[in-house]
């Protein structure tokens, strides 16, 4: 059977959540500047929730696995 597609919303959550986890880990292990990147992605999620506009979701919609 065909593999079930993940919704765009879930793909965004997986990507941004993974990046935040990565940057927090790097913030503890490498340099504290990575915490700012984690915060930036958190801000982007809040912005998307408030405005309803998500650039990552728009980009993911154009990917071939989402056709």
């Amino acid at each position: 059977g065909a593999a079930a597609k993940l919704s765009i919303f879930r793909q965004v959550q997986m990507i941004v959540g993974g990046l935040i986890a990565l940057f927090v880990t790097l913030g503890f292990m490498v340099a504290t500047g990575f915490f700012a990147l984690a915060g930036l992605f958190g801000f982007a999620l809040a912005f998307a929730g408030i405005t309803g506009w998500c650039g990552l979701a728009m980009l993911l919609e154009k990917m071939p696995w989402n056709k």
Side-chain angles (χ1 to χ4, degrees), residues 3-4 8 16-17 32 53 63 65-66:
I8 301 294
V16 175
T32 57
W53 186 88
M63 294 295 124
W65 60 84
N66 287 322

Side-chain angles (χ1 to χ4, degrees), residues 5 8 11 58-67:
K5 283 189 189 181
I8 301 294
Q11 292 177 52
M58 293 169 66
L59 178 68
L60 285 170
E61 286 177 341
K62 297 177 192 281
M63 294 295 124
W65 60 84
N66 287 322
K67 297 290 180 191

